[in-house]
Amino acid sequence: MAMWDRLKDQAKGLQQQAQGARGPAGQRQHGTGGPGTSGGSGGSKEKLVGLLKSQLGSLKTELKSGAYRDASMAMCALVAAADGSVDPAERHHVENLILQNDVLQNFPPEQLRQRFNKHVDQLTFNFQQGKADAMQEIAKAAKKPVEAKAVVQTGFVIAGADGYIAPAEAQVLREACMALGVSPQEFGL
């Protein structure tokens, strides 16, 4: 549990740094560093995502259950489709991120692809029903607090892979937190 407290404190500090680079209404300041730069909010988001990724990696040996695998794939699909659609390039990009994720390498790649694509297909066909199904799958990981938090971290890592977490992505991450019984504030959401 101490690790999660440390993660929370580190994430909060990085979130405060990111907010310091925002304007009066919380809007991103243009010219203060964007995705891929070390200054401004983009760099802070990248640090936060990097921190979450390394914290997640330290739990690799504990994250081998089918519930974590399935919830994570639902989370990844939900993040990819957060804006209501997933184009083929985005699907391919997220699939590559999944397959390169150190923790998710606990599972056969074909299992990950199949589960991720099933959720993306459902979200593309009927977003509201697909979202409800994905949230139901995500909620199954709530039984184990370590896995529940790891599912959110996995979603956060996927959402922040481009150095920016879009408002729609932040919203689905908050909703997943609620489904898992995890405080969104732990992740600066």
Side-chain angles (χ1 to χ4, degrees), residues 136-164:
Q136 189 174 19
E137 193 72 52
I138 289 167
K140 290 178 184 177
K143 295 173 188 163
K144 295 181 181 175
V146 169
E147 288 184 6
K149 291 177 183 184
V151 168
V152 177
Q153 284 180 294
T154 301
F156 208 102
V157 167
I158 297 298
D162 60 359
Y164 174 73

Side-chain angles (χ1 to χ4, degrees), residues 68-89:
Y68 168 72
R69 175 201 59 210
D70 296 349
S72 292
M73 292 305 93
M75 180 84 256
C76 291
L78 202 50
V79 165
D83 63 359
S85 67
V86 182
D87 65 44

Side-chain angles (χ1 to χ4, degrees), residues 1-10 55 146 149:
M1 199 57 154
M3 184 189 76
W4 291 113
D5 292 334
R6 195 169 56 244
L7 169 65
K8 180 179 170 183
D9 292 341
Q10 291 169 334
Q55 298 264 335
V146 169
K149 291 177 183 184

